[in-house]
Amino acid sequence: MAGLPPEKLTFAFDPRLKEALSHVQKPGRYTGGEPGSVYKEKEKMDVRFAFCFPDTYEVGMSFLGEKILYELLNQHENWWCERAFMPWLDMKAEMERLGLPLYALESKDPLTAFDAVGFTLQYELSYTNILAMLDLAGIPLYAADRDERWPLIVAGGPCTCNAEPLAAFFDVIQLGEGERQLPSICAAIEQGKKEGISKQELLLRLAGIPGVYIPAFYDVSYEEDGRVRAITPNQPGVPAVVTKAIIQNMNDFAPPTNFVVPMVGAIQDRASIEVLRGCVRGCRFCQAGFLYRPMRQRDAGLLDKAARDLCANTGYEELSLSSLSTSDHSQLEELLDDLNSWAPQEHVSLSLPSLRMDNFSESLIEKTTRVRKSGLTFAAEAGTQRLRDVINKNVTWDEIEKTCRIAFEAGYTSVKLYFMMGLPTETMADIEGIAETAQKVVDLYYHTQNHAKGKGVQVTVSCACFVPKPHTPFQFVPMDTAETLAAKQKHLLESVRSRKIKVNYHDSKTSFLEGVFAKGDRRLAPALVEAYRRGCCFDGWEECFRYDTWMQTFADLGIDPHFYCNRAIGLDEVTPWSHMDYGITHEYLVREYKKALAAQTTPPCNRACSGCGANRLLGGPCFDYSADLV
């Protein structure tokens, strides 16, 4: 990778920064200089890009997407991608007190010195942090208030599938996979700078890049009852519907082999390689499973080499095989054999964070525990078979039993089970089913002959509140009210009668706000700004979340948040995201929604094509159904 060692370069270290660092906890979050950081001579750069993660350093440094794009952009000798994160409350206060603008970790230059400032939208409750970062940088919040003097403000990530609540703040929004778009965007910026074109002309050029959405080039009208009437382009040549960008062959983009190794421990501080993208399962609640269709995998040989190089370059002793459903990789056993030919000697442990109950095996345990054991977590999602069929989980009790028995016979004494509550058609009997499933797992442990002797079992039930999301078959359903979710949580606790079962559940208030912005429209922008002005930020952090402030803000601005979150969407209704095409047809989503109400399942994509429409993004079938891909 192009770059210079930091000792070869000199950057001005603002004395205000030195003062701020002396007053905050974990100053290592803000200093940069970590192993793997890329440093360049900024005077020789044609494009400078600031990659911003709207949460703390520890959270952002766990994000694989940043590592991928950081390496990809910095491979260009005349481009420099740097990093910025949302400062924690103590540093934010110091920066405001001292008038210290938000800066990039590598050069320490303020964000205003960059050609483009890009944010990744991973989670709806990070939206006020985006405003806080722009504000700390001294950049006007609204795109309409920024002329050629200001950096281009760019968004990417999964939440761009409906970024309409943020549309007023961004110049450019990327739908789909950044490896395809971001280099093209940077190339257009470079060319535009050389030609001296206006911002408007640059945006028109960017609108021609596949998957690039320019919010200012679209007008939205509304019905009297508040629903969206129409979304129409207001510039010639701009597509009425923006189709996501996609990598057709993942082998064309090898995983990054150099990571910035954090000096302050990241939440997921390990080497990670993405083995596949997308998912074949079709779980009807899972937004990521639909956004990243179709499933595409990397070859085992490519992954093995990348993993070996990454561990050698970073010194990590844990390697995660990352994806939405790693155990669906058709060459997984071969890949694990390749990795185990060198990983144990290097004291590198392997972890598979996305295991499926229906293809879990003794072989997988044996091949992933040669160095050390990690915890086992399985997503049952629902407590009864009827409800698992509704959500198309395609997991039976027999498979749950088989999986847990294998784990117990291998010496595991604890299992974590993920569930959701508030799913469509759910009843209190389904809530009781969560407790009954956990109890059956406890009983299974003691009925397993080869379980660890002299040790008890611990089953942890983690229960999230279901939030209906755009581009899924459940986008049409209303979210359960806070009162209903509270009643279900209480009933779950009352249904658990064993001390060997621990129950954790999410706060329905944060889930409610997540739902509002997941299905919201452009009229929510003033609420975001006002809530931020009233002190809301780090909304995803329990100690910072101000539910009452949010509700008062909505009330003061005359916005009904329940309109977005607790209202059923008509099957033929124009949605705020109707002009965003992720490859899944509307007809397919309606068909799957109706099958869900009838508790009918759909097979995984690699077993039979269900005609979702994503194959047109590849120009042909997603799978060779004559091959053994199951």
Side-chain angles (χ1 to χ4, degrees), residues 405 408 440-451:
R405 187 183 301 279
F408 294 149
K440 287 164 76 173
V441 172
V442 170
D443 297 341
L444 176 65
Y445 177 81
Y446 293 105
H447 286 94
T448 300
Q449 276 193 329
N450 297 326
H451 76 262

Side-chain angles (χ1 to χ4, degrees), residues 13-129:
F13 204 86
D14 195 315
R16 292 174 296 176
L17 176 55
K18 291 184 179 180
E19 181 178 348
L21 294 179
S22 68
H23 289 96
V24 301
Q25 293 182 336
K26 299 184 180 180
R29 290 167 164 166
Y30 314 108
T31 57
E34 312 99 316
S37 301
V38 175
Y39 293 87
K40 298 187 179 184
E41 298 179 78
K42 59 188 177 184
E43 296 80 9
K44 297 181 180 179
M45 295 299 107
D46 291 317
V47 176
R48 297 186 66 189
F49 187 92
F51 190 106
C52 298
F53 194 93
D55 211 316
T56 64
Y57 176 90
E58 293 93 323
V59 177
M61 287 299 291
S62 303
F63 176 49
L64 182 58
E66 180 263 343
K67 298 173 171 65
I68 292 171
L69 296 174
Y70 186 81
E71 179 168 298
L72 181 66
L73 293 186
N74 280 322
Q75 287 173 348
H76 294 259
E77 291 188 1
N78 60 331
W79 299 353
W80 190 9
C81 178
E82 303 180 51
R83 298 163 296 133
F85 302 91
M86 175 67 189
W88 185 242
L89 301 177
D90 54 354
M91 184 63 169
K92 178 176 180 289
E94 285 297 307
M95 294 175 76
E96 291 170 339
R97 179 180 71 86
L98 295 167
L100 177 66
L102 187 62
Y103 56 90
L105 291 185
E106 283 78 2
S107 65
K108 304 300 184 295
D109 284 346
L111 297 189
T112 49
F114 288 77
D115 298 298
V117 174
F119 289 87
T120 180
L121 310 186
Q122 294 292 311
Y123 183 37
E124 291 85 356
L125 295 189
S126 69
Y127 289 177
T128 49
N129 282 11

Side-chain angles (χ1 to χ4, degrees), residues 294-574:
M295 190 191 95
R296 295 141 289 149
Q297 66 181 35
R298 288 186 168 107
D299 290 343
L302 174 68
L303 293 168
D304 176 57
K305 183 181 186 307
R308 193 166 193 164
D309 291 345
L310 179 59
C311 290
N313 291 337
T314 61
Y316 277 121
E317 294 184 343
E318 182 179 355
L319 173 67
S320 174
L321 306 184
S322 175
S323 78
L324 292 175
S325 186
T326 299
S327 53
D328 282 324
H329 195 292
S330 66
Q331 298 174 312
L332 181 60
E333 295 280 355
E334 175 187 338
L335 173 60
L336 290 173
D337 287 339
D338 291 343
L339 295 172
N340 276 314
S341 70
W342 58 267
Q345 294 93 301
E346 301 294 331
H347 305 289
V348 172
S349 64
L350 306 179
S351 65
L352 278 66
S354 301
L355 290 173
R356 289 280 308 189
M357 286 185 170
D358 55 356
N359 54 17
F360 187 73
S361 66
E362 294 177 20
S363 174
L364 285 182
I365 282 191
E366 190 275 329
K367 291 178 180 180
T368 56
T369 57
R370 293 188 182 179
V371 176
R372 67 177 67 89
K373 282 186 179 180
S374 56
L376 283 180
T377 301
F378 298 104
E381 308 295 4
T384 62
Q385 192 59 50
R386 182 200 68 83
L387 194 54
R388 286 194 290 271
D389 290 344
V390 167
I391 65 177
N392 204 45
K393 185 60 183 176
N394 283 322
V395 169
T396 65
W397 165 250
D398 287 345
E399 290 164 337
I400 297 173
E401 180 183 39
K402 175 190 171 187
T403 295
C404 292
R405 187 183 301 279
I406 291 172
F408 294 149
E409 288 179 343
Y412 286 88
T413 60
S414 64
V415 172
K416 292 182 180 179
L417 298 175
Y418 279 151
F419 295 90
M420 286 183 290
M421 62 172 55
L423 291 163
T425 79
E426 184 178 72
T427 67
M428 287 302 186
D430 297 305
I431 298 299
E432 293 164 14
I434 296 174
E436 291 167 1
T437 300
Q439 185 61 53
K440 287 164 76 173
V441 172
V442 170
D443 297 341
L444 176 65
Y445 177 81
Y446 293 105
H447 286 94
T448 300
Q449 276 193 329
N450 297 326
H451 76 262
K453 299 299 186 269
K455 293 184 178 180
V457 67
Q458 181 69 55
V459 176
T460 301
V461 170
S462 181
C463 208
C465 299
F466 170 64
V467 179
K469 291 294 181 79
H471 303 282
T472 72
F474 289 158
Q475 69 179 22
F476 307 106
V477 304
M479 182 176 170
D480 267 2
T481 64
E483 294 75 18
T484 300
L485 288 168
K488 289 179 176 179
Q489 290 168 345
K490 181 173 181 289
H491 192 63
L492 174 59
L493 293 175
E494 293 170 346
S495 299
V496 172
R497 296 180 175 84
S498 171
R499 292 183 179 179
K500 300 183 184 302
I501 301 172
K502 179 183 178 182
V503 176
N504 300 319
Y505 55 82
H506 292 182
D507 180 7
S508 66
K509 292 179 179 178
T510 57
S511 298
F512 172 72
L513 191 65
E514 177 186 342
V516 171
F517 286 107
K519 295 168 78 171
D521 56 41
R522 295 186 177 191
R523 293 171 294 184
L524 288 174
L528 276 165
V529 173
E530 184 60 26
Y532 163 65
R533 297 295 186 204
R534 296 182 185 188
C536 290
C537 68
F538 284 108
D539 296 305
W541 293 69
E542 183 179 350
E543 62 267 43
C544 300
F545 183 55
R546 301 184 180 188
Y547 178 77
D548 292 340
T549 301
W550 274 106
M551 294 305 104
Q552 190 61 53
T553 299
F554 287 134
D556 291 346
L557 297 182
I559 294 172
D560 177 13
H562 302 282
F563 172 82
Y564 299 104
C565 200
N566 302 123
R567 176 183 67 89
I569 291 178
L571 299 184
D572 59 350
E573 182 175 328
V574 178

Side-chain angles (χ1 to χ4, degrees), residues 189-210:
I189 292 173
E190 179 182 355
Q191 187 64 28
K193 287 175 66 178
K194 291 176 178 177
E195 296 178 14
I197 64 174
S198 67
K199 179 179 180 180
Q200 178 75 1
E201 176 59 31
L202 175 59
L203 292 176
L204 284 168
R205 291 186 185 183
L206 293 176
I209 297 173

